[in-house]
Amino acid sequence: MSDSAARDQDVAEMESALAHPEVAPDRSAAYGDHPDQVVDFYAPRDGRTGAPLVVLLHGGAWRAPYDRAHVSPFADFLARRGFAVASVEYRRGGDIPQQRGGNTRPGGADPVAGRWPETFDDVAAAMDAMPALAGRELPGADVRRIVVTGHSAGGHLALWAAARHVLPEGSPWRLPAPPPLRGVVALAPIADFTVAAELGVCGGAVGQLLGGQADFEVRVAQADPGVLLPTGIATAIVQGVEDIVVPQAVSEAYVDAAARSGEMVGLTLLGGVGHFPLIDPAADACAVVAEEITQLAW
């Protein structure tokens, strides 16, 4: 496919994924005091009890303009497949001391990606609070069967959330034991920071997330799923072959790193598919994602 055709496909797929009306949650609950520390809950649409809980982490390059609203149709899609769903919001880019110069990177093209350490603080806090929150807000959910999924930057956060027990000693987010998860389904994740940085994924978002080159080497050991291996958590990646936002090479680098650590990670490659159909309820790829989650949840 030519570069021009690939760009045209990406635009069309993005427009399709974002064209769905926002779906209001059944309940919402805070897991902290900041306005972004909130979880939206979607009950299984068939009314079943004992449904597995899918924790959903949205993408958008960890940048502030992109919030959980754009994945609400996807959350509803999963709820219509019989899952209980918890869609997590978290703090994203902004003007903080490690990222001076306002809310845009040099040139003003994109808002700053992520916050250090707030983005990670929030995901850790949301995951730690999730069993109690879901048990209260979705009493029909089975919090013993939790699958974490996320798209793009959210895919990175999903992989990271499952790897907190292998964080370096002294990390504030480290868990003493593996989190009680059935597994992770990461959708076109920014899964390997070295490869993603080399490819300039999302306009250099990885470097921005870690606060710039000066802090990259120190912080990458706490943030990069590609070095937080093995996890011992069942993990599957779904990746579009035609993805020009987070290319296939990023997922393959993570899968290869997992193999070198002695861990097998499933990789489902979807031909003719780019970045956005994975969260588009109108796309066949979305059904593939649901099936991957089903295989881990039940």
Side-chain angles (χ1 to χ4, degrees), residues 209-298:
L209 174 70
L210 299 185
Q213 191 59 44
D215 293 312
F216 190 95
E217 294 301 326
V218 173
R219 293 176 174 176
V220 74
Q222 293 196 65
D224 182 2
V227 301
L228 299 174
L229 291 162
T231 68
I233 305 290
T235 302
I237 292 176
V238 183
Q239 174 75 44
V241 173
E242 306 300 335
D243 193 334
I244 62 171
V245 179
V246 183
Q248 179 179 332
V250 179
S251 288
E252 289 179 334
Y254 178 82
V255 172
D256 290 345
R260 290 194 297 271
S261 77
E263 190 160 84
M264 180 176 292
V265 170
L267 177 59
T268 299
L269 298 175
L270 302 181
V273 171
H275 192 64
F276 293 95
L278 305 180
I279 58 167
D280 183 354
D284 292 341
C286 209
V288 175
V289 170
E291 181 58 31
E292 292 284 348
I293 295 172
T294 298
Q295 290 181 19
L296 292 179
W298 268 287

Side-chain angles (χ1 to χ4, degrees), residues 19-261:
H20 304 280
E22 182 178 345
V23 180
D26 297 301
R27 302 286 295 272
S28 295
Y31 62 88
D33 295 331
H34 191 277
D36 285 335
Q37 293 174 322
V38 63
V39 182
D40 288 342
F41 291 97
Y42 297 79
R45 299 311 186 210
D46 58 7
R48 74 176 67 187
T49 58
L53 178 66
V54 178
V55 177
L56 171 60
L57 294 154
H58 71 81
W62 311 285
R63 291 186 170 122
Y66 310 102
D67 62 17
R68 67 194 186 283
H70 79 274
V71 294
S72 65
F74 178 55
D76 178 67
F77 173 84
L78 294 175
R80 287 186 279 113
R81 289 293 185 114
F83 294 106
V85 182
S87 183
V88 177
E89 193 56 272
Y90 52 90
R91 282 174 286 183
R92 303 170 309 286
D95 183 16
I96 58 176
Q98 295 88 347
Q99 297 166 329
R100 295 290 188 187
N103 198 41
T104 59
R105 65 183 174 90
D110 291 310
V112 169
R115 292 173 180 250
W116 184 280
E118 291 94 336
T119 297
F120 298 92
D121 288 343
D122 288 358
V123 172
M127 294 302 300
D128 291 346
M130 191 58 65
L133 283 180
R136 185 186 73 205
E137 304 296 336
L138 290 180
D142 185 352
V143 296
R144 299 166 301 176
R145 293 190 290 166
I146 297 177
V147 175
V148 183
T149 191
H151 178 240
S152 195
H156 155 260
L157 294 172
L159 294 170
W160 181 85
R164 290 170 57 203
H165 57 295
V166 294
L167 285 167
E169 293 284 351
S171 169
W173 308 301
R174 181 181 168 92
L175 292 176
L181 303 175
R182 282 293 181 93
V184 179
V185 179
L187 315 177
I190 305 178
D192 185 289
F193 276 11
T194 299
V195 174
E198 290 172 353
L199 295 175
V201 165
C202 297
V206 167
Q208 294 172 22
L209 174 70
L210 299 185
Q213 191 59 44
D215 293 312
F216 190 95
E217 294 301 326
V218 173
R219 293 176 174 176
V220 74
Q222 293 196 65
D224 182 2
V227 301
L228 299 174
L229 291 162
T231 68
I233 305 290
T235 302
I237 292 176
V238 183
Q239 174 75 44
V241 173
E242 306 300 335
D243 193 334
I244 62 171
V245 179
V246 183
Q248 179 179 332
V250 179
S251 288
E252 289 179 334
Y254 178 82
V255 172
D256 290 345
R260 290 194 297 271
S261 77

